[in-house]
Amino acid sequence: MTSWQPTGPFLVVEHSDPQGWTVLAVPLAGGATPLVKLVGLVQLGYDMRDDGSVLAAALMTTTQTSRIAIWDLASGKTRWLTEDELGVQHSTPVWSEDGAFVYYSAHMYSAQANRSIDLGIFRIRSDGTGKTRIRAPEESGAHLSGLTPDGRGLLWSRVRAGGAVEVLDLVSGQNRSFDETTTASLLSWRRAQPRALVMVGGCCAGRPGGSLAVWNDATGSREILIGAESTPPTRVLSASWEPRGARFAAAIIESPTIDYFGTISIFDSDGRRLAALAGTDGTQQVFWLPMGIVFMRPRDTGGTEIMIVPESGGQPSRIFEDATSMFIRSVAGQ
């Protein structure tokens, strides 16, 4: 673990190598600081606190047991957060909005049943006390991934091919599903309802991308904004609301192209295209931040690069590049 003090917004980036993944802090001004190496265990999950000061990660302690550990980035000090429960795996930690709690899911493998048994979703104080189960077990288990913009809802997915979009209200305990009958993934939030951009389909095999829907997770209403019925038919790889929430940027592939990577266009909240951004060919991920639109794409010479372009267009500039693959996990320290 590296001691590091954030001085502004930075990207939390997963960087691959033959042994596993390294979590990097990539400031928008450029450069990168390795934070911690996760040897082949990224699937267990980790989360950076919103202020960028503390990392929580689920780590294996035996072949069937995992615990959640805490790293303070400024001091470099580490400690265990959850207790050692033999045969139980704690995974996918998510920080509460104020940093007072960590939410996580838990399951255990049953040799008798020859399958994983879900134990539910839990909350624990950041000092390791007050462990409480906040959602009962279910057959498929849960993969936690974040919070709603107001901090009241916990975003999670049912463990299945392609995933699902679920929001658990942390006050009432009520759960809302985007659509239990289809695969879906949450791409971006804004504060005003309908506030969620959701990619529908695009799972598992065949051409990448899916349709883009906007979802009101309070009423359950949803509407497809971009997809197979668009003119021309369009597949969405990634999308992000602008900070004010009136528009969004999306990495799209328009038929009949055979490309597997997109270009960025800006749309209004109803899905009408307003502008295409030149110089964004190959985009896989997009994040709209106050200082510009950040995107990631493969390099022509191999590896990946992270770029930023003004929302008004112009020549993109490079933030960071590497000869291996990368994935932008989140933005912290804002």
Side-chain angles (χ1 to χ4, degrees):
M1 178 67 190
T2 301
S3 298
W4 186 68
Q5 183 65 52
T7 57
F10 64 95
L11 306 174
V12 180
V13 175
E14 296 175 3
H15 168 273
S16 71
D17 60 49
Q19 288 75 44
W21 292 83
T22 299
V23 181
L24 303 177
V26 179
L28 298 181
T33 299
L35 298 179
V36 64
K37 189 175 186 64
L38 302 175
V39 182
L41 299 177
V42 173
Q43 69 273 17
L44 291 179
Y46 64 91
D47 190 40
M48 184 75 69
R49 204 165 72 182
D50 283 349
D51 63 4
S53 65
V54 186
L55 182 77
L59 301 176
M60 298 296 294
T61 56
T62 73
T63 56
Q64 297 293 341
T65 307
S66 65
R67 302 171 67 182
I68 296 172
I70 299 293
W71 281 269
D72 185 290
L73 301 188
S75 67
K77 293 181 178 179
T78 64
R79 59 182 171 87
W80 290 112
L81 176 67
T82 58
E83 60 186 332
D84 188 7
E85 299 180 76
L86 185 63
V88 175
Q89 292 191 9
H90 305 157
S91 64
T92 60
V94 168
W95 285 99
S96 65
E97 186 178 39
D98 60 4
F101 297 92
V102 172
Y103 304 96
Y104 66 95
S105 63
H107 65 275
M108 65 183 300
Y109 178 75
S110 168
Q112 182 177 4
N114 193 29
R115 65 179 179 88
S116 178
I117 297 177
D118 181 41
L119 299 177
I121 298 175
F122 294 83
R123 180 187 66 202
I124 190 170
R125 293 186 180 276
S126 59
D127 63 3
T129 64
K131 173 186 170 183
T132 304
R133 186 161 65 188
I134 62 172
R135 182 170 172 83
E138 57 179 75
E139 184 175 351
S140 58
H143 182 284
L144 314 187
S145 57
L147 298 175
T148 56
D150 54 15
R152 290 173 50 97
L154 178 65
L155 178 66
W156 65 283
S157 173
R158 300 177 190 275
V159 177
R160 68 184 191 194
V165 177
E166 312 281 341
V167 175
L168 174 64
D169 189 300
L170 295 170
V171 177
S172 69
Q174 181 179 1
N175 191 76
R176 296 182 175 91
S177 301
F178 172 77
D179 185 347
E180 294 186 8
T181 66
T182 188
T183 62
S185 57
L186 192 287
L187 298 181
S188 183
W189 293 107
R190 65 176 177 179
R191 292 196 172 271
Q193 294 280 14
R195 59 184 178 174
L197 289 176
V198 177
M199 186 171 73
V200 184
C203 164
C204 310
R207 303 285 294 282
S211 298
L212 184 69
V214 63
W215 178 44
N216 185 321
D217 61 288
T219 67
S221 66
R222 56 185 185 269
E223 178 186 1
I224 298 293
L225 300 179
I226 308 170
E229 302 303 317
S230 303
T231 304
T234 303
R235 287 173 288 134
V236 176
L237 300 174
S238 180
S240 178
W241 288 112
E242 70 168 329
R244 296 183 298 275
R247 300 172 294 168
F248 64 87
I252 61 173
I253 303 174
E254 293 179 319
S255 297
T257 178
I258 61 172
D259 288 344
Y260 279 70
F261 307 111
T263 58
I264 298 175
S265 286
I266 294 176
F267 299 82
D268 69 14
S269 59
D270 294 322
R272 290 185 291 265
R273 180 155 28 183
L274 304 175
L277 296 184
T280 62
D281 293 351
T283 296
Q284 296 172 304
Q285 286 184 278
V286 58
F287 293 81
W288 196 332
L289 306 179
M291 57 290 300
I293 297 173
V294 172
F295 61 98
M296 191 199 69
R297 64 185 178 189
R299 301 187 307 176
D300 293 338
T301 56
T304 45
E305 60 185 1
I306 300 173
M307 312 289 290
I308 188 168
V309 62
E311 62 180 74
S312 57
Q315 183 64 31
S317 57
R318 183 178 293 109
I319 296 174
F320 181 66
E321 64 179 336
D322 194 83
T324 62
S325 64
M326 294 185 290
F327 178 81
I328 302 174
R329 180 64 177 266
S330 62
V331 183
Q334 298 188 82

